[in-house]
Amino acid sequence: MADHALIVPDASLSLEERTLAIGQEFPDVETCRRTLKDIAISLHFDLRIVKSDRSRFIAKCSKEGCPWRVHVAKCPGVPTFSIRTLHGEHTCEGVRNLHHQQASVGWVARSVEARIRDNPQYKPKEILQDIRDQHGVAVSYMQAWRGKERSMAALHGTFEEGYRLLPAYCEQIRKTNPGSIASVVATGSENCFQRLFISYRASIYGFINACRPLLELDRAHLKGKYLGSILCAAAIDADNALFPLAIGIVDVESDENWMWFMSELRKLLGVNTENMPRLTILSERQRGIVEAVETHFPSAFHGFCLRYVSENFRDTFKNTKLVNIFWNAVYALTTVEFETKISEMVEISQDVIPWFQQFPPQLWAIAYFEGVRYGHFTLGVTELLYNWALECHELPIVQMVEHIRHQLMSWFNERRDLGMRLASILVPSTEKQILEAIADARCYQVLRANEVEFEIVSTERTNIVDIRSRICSCRRWQLYGLPCAHAAAALISCGQNVHLFAEPCFTVASYRETYSQMINPIPDKNRWKEPGEGAEGGGAKLDMTIRPPKTRRPPGRPKKKSQHGISVSCSICENGGFQKRVNILWLKGTDKRFRAHEPKLRRLTVVNVTVTARSSYLQQLGRLGAVFFRQDLLTGACFKVFGDVTGYILNVVREKAEEAGCIFTKTLAVGMDRLILMMLLESNSSRSADAVECRQCLLNK
C-alpha cells in the first residue's frame, strides 16, 4: 500500500471516507479523531494517540515497529484541520481477536444512531450482534446498552429534560392549534410531575359535530425509565375506526387521577357545545372509572366492554357450551330471547346465578342496556394504548406525546383524503350492512297498515315497523342505528331509499366532517420559549421546572414471585394413607430449616432406595426429583429437595437404608449448584403394586 493513500475496505463508510490522503481536511479535531477511530476499527488495528491538542493531532499504530502514522494539524486562520504527514502501510498483524480498544461506548452510539432514529425499539442484543456482523467487533451487552442510551439522549433528549420541557410544549400546542386543551400539573415542593392532559381542537370538533355519542375509556401502564399510566378517551368515526378524543398521562393510575381526567373531559365538552349529548361510555368499569363517570357524566349510560365480561365468564366456568350460550344471550335483542338463554345456562350450572349478580345484565346485555352502542361492543382503544406504550416506552414524555400527535396527523390526513374520494351516501362498512339487509328483505311479506306502519311477515315471526319513528319490534333498528331487514322490506315496498334512513353518523358527509379540521405541526424545541421567558398557562408556569415523578422503574429484571414451604397435594394418588394437599412438601433452604422436619423424617421406615440416572436431563427434571418415604412400607410424605439441604438428607437416607438392610447406590447431580435426588422406593412386600402406582404419580406430575 502506498505511503500517501490509505483505502479503507468498510461498506459502512461512504466513498469519501474510504480514503486518507495528505491535504485531506476535517472540520475540527473531534471529527478527525472519530474518522481515524473508524478506520482503525475497520482495518482491525489498535490506534495510539501520541498528541492531541487544539492545534494538532498525531496518532500511530500501537504495535511496536509498525510504521503506520498520521499527523494532522490546524490550518492557519480557519478552524479546519488537514493531514500533513501520512504513512499508510501496516507491517503488523493487527488485532487478532474480536475485541477492539477503539470500540468505545461513544463509537457504539454513533454506529447505531441512524438505526435507533428509525427504530427506538432496537435492542442491545440486536446492537451487539449487528456490530459484530458489520464491523467484526465484539462489544459487551453493557456497552451496547450504554451506547443505545447515549444515542437516544442525543436524538430525543433525556427523560429528565422531557419533563422539564412540558410547560413549554403545552404552550406550543395551544399556540399552534388554537382551541386545543393542553395542561400539565406538578405536585409537591419539588414540582414532581403528576398529570398531563391533551386534546386537540381538531379532535374535539370532529367528535362533537360528526361522531356518534359513544366513548371508550381505558388505560395502559408505561414501563419506561419512569413509571406511569396513559389514559385515553376515544370515539368511533362513521366507518367504525377509532377516533382518539383526549389523552392523559399520570404518575400512577388511581381513583383521584381518573376523577381528574373525567373532570377535564367534561370541561372540554361543556365549553365546546351548548347541549351536551347523552353519552354511552364503555370501559372495564373499574371502581375509579365508575365513580368518575357518575360524578362528571351522571346522565351517561356506562356499560361493560364485552371482551372483559366474556373473558371473566369463560375463566370462571371453563365450559364451552356455557360460553356459546352466553354469547347468544349477549346478542339477544329482546328480553324474552335473553331470559330464554339464561334459563338454558341455569340448567347446565346453577353457579351462573351469583355470577349474574356480580355482572348485572343491565351493564352489558344488548337486551337490557339502556344506552345505544351502535353495534360497538368491545374496547378498540385497549390495543391502541398498548401499542403506544410499547412503541414509546424508550422515549422521553415529550417525544412520546409527539409520536402520538404524528400518528393522529397521519390518520387525519389519510382519512380526509379517503372521505373526499367516497361518492356514496354511506361509508363503505355501513353500505355493506345495508346491502345485506336489502338482500334479506326479499323473502319477507309486507303488509301496509298506513303511511308509516307496516307488518312484516316471515316464516319465523311477524314484526311491526314504523318508518317515521324509525322503530322495528325486533329492536335492531333502534340499537344499531341502521335499518334492519324488516325495515328495509317496508321502505322498499313504499319506494323509499333505504340508505337515507341510516343515522347521520354513518354518512360520508359526517365522515368528511369528522376529519375536516387539521392538527397543525409544532416547531422544533429549539424555537420554544425557554424557562423564565413565558407566563402562566395550562396548569403550569413556563418558568416552572417540572421534575420526573417518584415512580421510577427499579433496576434489573423484574423478580418472579416464588413460594416456599407451601404444602401441595398429590391429585392423582389417593390410596396408601395420602391426605389431599398435605403430603408433598417443597423444601428449600438451609440444614437448620430442614431439621424442623427431622422428627417426622426419622419416624418413617425406608424399605429400599433406588437411585436412577439413566433418563435424559429433561426427563429427570420432569420426574419431580423426590425422596419418597412410607410409614407403613409405602405410606408417608413425598419430599422434593434442592440446594444445601441435600447433604443432610443423604446422610439420613443412607442411615435408614442401612438399618433396613438395603443398599444405597447412587445420587444424581444436575445443574451448577443444585442437586436433585431421583429416588423411588420399590417395596419387596406384597404391597409393591402400590409403590408402582405412587411412582407413576410422580412421573405424571
Side-chain angles (χ1 to χ4, degrees):
M1 184 178 296
D3 286 350
H4 302 296
L6 176 63
I7 305 299
V8 182
D10 191 339
S12 64
L13 301 177
S14 65
L15 183 61
E16 293 79 6
E17 293 172 330
R18 295 180 185 179
T19 303
L20 285 180
I22 293 178
Q24 182 175 343
E25 294 186 353
F26 304 96
D28 50 52
V29 69
E30 184 62 29
T31 304
C32 173
R33 185 183 294 112
R34 291 177 179 177
T35 302
L36 292 176
K37 281 187 175 183
D38 291 341
I39 291 173
I41 292 173
S42 176
L43 290 179
H44 299 286
F45 72 90
D46 279 335
L47 185 71
R48 198 180 83 174
I49 299 175
V50 179
K51 188 74 173 177
S52 179
D53 55 29
R54 296 181 179 180
S55 61
R56 56 185 171 171
F57 180 83
I58 303 173
K60 68 175 186 177
C61 180
S62 64
K63 297 292 184 179
E64 291 295 334
C66 181
W68 191 94
R69 185 183 180 91
V70 63
H71 179 195
V72 185
K74 187 177 184 297
C75 299
V78 292
T80 59
F81 283 69
S82 66
I83 297 178
R84 301 295 178 83
T85 306
L86 175 65
H87 298 282
E89 182 179 356
H90 276 284
T91 59
C92 65
E93 60 185 7
V95 179
R96 303 191 65 179
N97 55 51
L98 295 176
H99 299 280
H100 202 291
Q101 292 183 356
Q102 308 303 322
S104 61
V105 172
W107 177 81
V108 172
R110 293 194 305 273
S111 300
V112 301
E113 183 173 338
R115 180 76 180 270
I116 288 178
R117 183 184 291 109
D118 298 332
N119 178 26
Q121 305 301 316
Y122 198 21
K123 297 180 180 179
K125 291 182 80 172
E126 297 172 343
I127 291 175
L128 59 90
Q129 185 61 47
D130 288 348
I131 287 179
R132 180 164 184 163
D133 295 340
Q134 295 174 10
H135 302 281
V137 175
V139 297
S140 66
Y141 182 91
M142 187 55 66
Q143 278 182 296
W145 183 83
R146 288 175 176 168
K148 178 185 176 180
E149 291 291 301
R150 187 174 298 186
S151 182
M152 289 287 291
L155 290 170
H156 306 294
T158 63
F159 281 84
E160 292 74 16
E161 182 187 14
Y163 288 103
R164 181 177 62 83
L165 291 173
L166 277 177
Y169 179 72
C170 291
E171 177 66 21
Q172 288 298 315
I173 292 178
R174 296 190 296 269
K175 181 179 179 180
T176 58
N177 293 268
S180 299
I181 309 296
S183 62
V184 59
V185 179
T187 184
S189 59
E190 298 180 2
N191 290 330
C192 293
F193 170 81
Q194 186 182 20
R195 299 161 177 163
L196 172 69
F197 183 90
I198 294 176
S199 180
Y200 295 99
R201 169 61 183 168
S203 299
I204 299 172
Y205 179 88
F207 172 69
I208 292 177
N209 292 280
C211 287
R212 64 195 81 173
L214 175 71
L215 281 179
E216 297 182 2
L217 298 177
D218 207 354
R219 84 286 179 263
H221 298 297
L222 301 175
K223 299 181 180 180
K225 183 177 180 180
Y226 296 96
L227 302 180
S229 294
I230 178 170
L231 317 179
C232 185
I236 308 297
D237 68 14
D239 205 26
N240 292 323
L242 209 60
F243 185 81
L245 172 61
I247 62 169
I249 299 178
V250 294
D251 56 348
V252 63
E253 184 190 7
S254 63
D255 296 352
E256 293 78 11
N257 280 334
W258 270 116
M259 190 69 70
W260 162 82
F261 182 76
M262 297 306 294
S263 172
E264 295 295 312
L265 191 63
R266 178 67 177 83
K267 289 177 186 176
L268 77 86
L269 293 178
V271 169
N272 289 277
T273 181
E274 296 181 359
N275 298 319
M276 175 70 67
R278 193 172 188 185
L279 298 175
T280 295
I281 297 177
L282 303 181
S283 73
E284 294 182 358
R285 288 186 60 92
Q286 300 99 322
R287 185 184 64 180
I289 298 180
V290 171
E291 294 177 355
V293 171
E294 290 177 351
T295 301
H296 297 289
F297 295 91
S299 63
F301 303 105
H302 190 187
F304 271 114
C305 164
L306 282 186
R307 182 189 295 115
Y308 172 76
V309 175
S310 63
E311 288 177 354
N312 185 286
F313 186 88
R314 181 197 62 197
D315 295 340
T316 301
F317 297 103
K318 297 180 174 62
N319 186 313
T320 304
K321 186 176 181 180
L322 268 180
V323 172
N324 292 335
I325 300 175
F326 170 81
W327 277 110
N328 292 333
V330 166
Y331 291 115
L333 297 176
T334 63
T335 57
V336 175
E337 295 175 7
F338 180 84
E339 294 298 337
T340 301
K341 298 302 177 182
I342 297 300
S343 300
E344 293 180 17
M345 286 190 281
V346 171
E347 291 178 0
I348 298 175
S349 174
Q350 292 287 333
D351 295 335
V352 299
I353 297 177
W355 187 90
F356 282 118
Q357 295 173 351
Q358 182 182 358
F359 294 91
Q362 293 81 1
L363 300 177
W364 51 268
I366 297 176
Y368 283 103
F369 186 66
E370 296 181 6
V372 181
R373 293 174 177 255
Y374 297 95
H376 195 74
F377 304 107
T378 59
L379 294 178
V381 70
T382 302
E383 183 177 357
L384 176 65
L385 286 176
Y386 277 100
N387 288 338
W388 281 347
L390 181 63
E391 295 167 359
C392 304
H393 81 280
E394 300 276 4
L395 300 177
I397 186 168
V398 168
Q399 297 297 329
M400 177 193 307
V401 180
E402 276 291 89
H403 174 86
I404 295 173
R405 185 182 64 84
H406 292 160
Q407 192 171 74
L408 293 180
M409 286 180 62
S410 177
W411 285 352
F412 268 68
N413 185 57
E414 293 172 1
R415 296 172 186 177
R416 188 184 305 113
D417 293 342
L418 174 62
M420 298 306 296
R421 293 195 301 268
L422 295 176
S424 57
I425 298 175
L426 303 176
V427 294
S429 60
T430 305
E431 183 80 18
K432 180 180 178 181
Q433 296 180 57
I434 292 294
L435 293 178
E436 292 175 353
I438 292 174
D440 294 340
R442 294 175 182 152
C443 61
Y444 295 151
Q445 179 184 0
V446 180
L447 302 177
R448 187 167 186 171
N450 51 50
E451 292 183 357
V452 296
E453 290 185 336
F454 298 81
E455 183 176 339
I456 311 301
V457 181
S458 66
T459 56
E460 298 176 355
R461 65 180 181 181
T462 299
N463 290 279
I464 307 300
V465 175
D466 186 333
I467 61 174
R468 177 184 295 170
S469 302
R470 302 192 177 189
I471 292 175
C472 178
S473 59
C474 75
R475 301 187 69 234
R476 180 174 291 274
W477 197 354
Q478 302 92 291
L479 295 175
Y480 286 80
L482 299 175
C484 59
H486 312 115
L491 292 168
I492 293 172
S493 69
C494 61
Q496 297 288 339
N497 187 343
V498 181
H499 297 77
L500 299 177
F501 285 80
E503 289 292 326
C505 60
F506 294 106
T507 62
V508 171
S510 293
Y511 188 78
R512 291 172 179 170
E513 190 72 8
T514 302
Y515 299 101
S516 60
Q517 305 296 308
M518 291 185 293
I519 298 178
N520 298 319
I522 294 177
D524 186 79
K525 63 182 179 181
N526 297 326
R527 301 177 61 185
W528 301 352
K529 289 184 179 180
E530 291 296 327
E533 297 182 13
E536 183 177 354
K541 296 181 180 180
L542 290 182
D543 58 356
M544 176 186 294
T545 300
I546 296 183
R547 293 179 171 82
K550 299 292 186 180
T551 53
R552 182 168 178 172
R553 182 183 62 192
R557 293 182 179 273
K559 295 182 178 179
K560 295 182 179 180
K561 295 181 180 180
S562 58
Q563 297 178 340
H564 304 306
I566 296 180
S567 298
V568 295
S569 68
C570 176
S571 60
I572 302 175
C573 183
E574 298 179 353
N575 53 18
F578 274 72
Q579 296 179 3
K580 191 174 183 181
R581 298 192 180 279
V582 295
N583 289 319
I584 301 178
L585 302 180
W586 181 293
L587 304 177
K588 183 176 181 180
T590 62
D591 288 352
K592 181 178 180 181
R593 217 181 211 182
F594 182 73
R595 284 193 176 97
H597 299 272
E598 180 181 355
K600 180 178 180 181
L601 182 64
R602 290 190 177 277
R603 287 199 302 268
L604 303 180
T605 302
V606 180
V607 177
N608 187 21
V609 179
T610 303
V611 183
T612 61
R614 299 178 182 177
S615 303
S616 69
Y617 178 73
L618 291 178
Q619 288 175 331
Q620 291 161 359
L621 292 181
R623 288 179 179 175
L624 294 178
V627 183
F628 203 101
F629 297 98
R630 295 210 50 174
Q631 196 162 6
D632 179 16
L633 296 182
L634 291 170
T635 304
C638 175
F639 291 91
K640 186 177 181 183
V641 186
F642 293 91
D644 51 7
V645 303
T646 302
Y648 181 77
I649 196 166
L650 280 177
N651 295 332
V652 174
V653 171
R654 183 178 290 107
E655 176 186 343
K656 303 304 292 184
E658 291 174 356
E659 292 177 2
C662 302
I663 299 176
F664 185 83
T665 56
K666 187 179 180 182
T667 61
L668 173 67
V670 291
M672 295 293 294
D673 58 351
R674 180 176 293 179
L675 292 175
I676 301 181
L677 303 181
M678 308 293 293
M679 303 178 184
L680 300 173
L681 284 181
E682 294 180 357
S683 174
N684 293 326
S685 67
S686 59
R687 301 185 62 181
S688 59
D690 293 338
V692 175
E693 182 174 273
C694 294
R695 171 178 177 175
Q696 188 62 39
C697 164
L698 285 178
L699 296 179
N700 293 336
K701 291 287 284 184

